[in-house]
Amino acid sequence: MDAGTIRILMAKLGDGFEAAVGRLSFAFREAGYEVVHVENQSPEAIVTSALQEAVDHIGITTLPGAKIEDIARIMELLKKKDMSYVRVTAGGFLDYNDIDKVKEAGVVEFFPKGTSISELIIWAKDNIKLTDDWSK
Ligand code: B12
């Protein structure tokens, strides 16, 4: 692992639709991030991977119609394990009302279906940091 390289866990929550997380992982690697890519995971498995891989950030893809409770559970587990320094971004499908709930649960940003990859990378450069930076 290179010092100074931001590590992201890119995770697909729930069953199916693993192609989207593959595409996102590829795009973030091309943009210079180190990406650990996991598919079709439970909230518990996602948080365990984040801990074991010592990532700086978690990206969750929710295609399609994911359960808001699962995202809230990820945030709760991060808190329980004293890992709130690992910030979480998500994207994919959610009802409009659930997008507000995801942010209330602590997710930094939610990107709905159709957001362009270049828009994501521009946002990431400004908002995804090494975890050390957040504690300063
Ligand atoms: C490919 C696809 C499939 C493939 C999946 C292949 C695979 N192995 O993954 C197959 C053919 C298997 C499939 C099946 C089904 N599909 Co389908 N599928 C799609 C399709 C065409 C593209 C999804 C995709 O991969 N997008 C690529 C991602 C990268 O793009 P994106 O979704 O726009 O995501 C952007 C943002 O949301 C954001 N983002 C997303 N996640 C994250 C995460 C982070 C961290 C960040 C920063 C950003 C981010 O960034 C992306 C940048 O472009 C969509 C329609 C569409 N055009 O979106 C339907 C779609 C998702 N499917 C749909 C449905 C209903 C189904 C089926 C239930 C159909 C059926 N009756 O069988 C099944 C379910 C299968 C299952 N249980 O998993 C619906 C979902 C509706 C809903 N509201 O939930 C859609 C929207 C089609 C439609 N209009 O009805 N599908």
Side-chain angles (χ1 to χ4, degrees):
M1 173 189 332
D2 290 340
T5 303
I6 297 173
R7 279 167 71 78
I8 302 180
L9 176 72
M10 200 61 84
K12 171 62 188 57
L13 184 57
D15 295 335
F17 283 98
E18 65 289 340
V21 74
R23 229 164 109 181
L24 287 162
S25 297
F26 180 80
F28 276 81
R29 279 188 197 112
E30 290 282 288
Y33 297 90
E34 243 179 63
V35 180
V36 180
H37 162 169
V38 291
E39 295 172 358
N40 303 336
Q41 299 287 307
S42 65
E44 286 73 13
I46 289 172
V47 173
T48 301
S49 298
L51 178 63
Q52 289 174 346
E53 296 289 343
V55 295
D56 299 292
H57 198 91
I58 302 177
I60 298 169
T61 209
T62 62
L63 281 164
K67 285 185 266 159
I68 171 85
E69 295 81 8
D70 286 341
I71 297 178
R73 175 84 180 131
I74 290 173
M75 303 312 296
E76 185 189 311
L77 287 167
L78 287 173
K79 215 181 231 175
K80 259 193 192 154
K81 291 179 187 284
D82 285 331
M83 289 173 65
S84 294
Y85 56 87
V86 179
R87 301 206 166 182
V88 178
T89 303
F93 284 84
L94 277 183
D95 286 346
Y96 183 73
N97 288 339
D98 283 349
I99 295 181
D100 284 345
K101 287 186 200 155
V102 161
K103 289 189 184 164
E104 279 163 25
V107 168
V108 185
E109 194 53 88
F110 185 90
F111 293 95
K113 166 179 151 8
T115 312
S116 75
I117 297 273
S118 53
E119 202 179 314
L120 293 182
I121 300 299
I122 290 169
W123 179 88
K125 295 286 177 196
D126 285 338
N127 292 283
I128 297 186
K129 312 276 182 200
L130 289 167
T131 48
D132 289 351
D133 292 348
W134 296 119
S135 53
K136 281 175 195 159

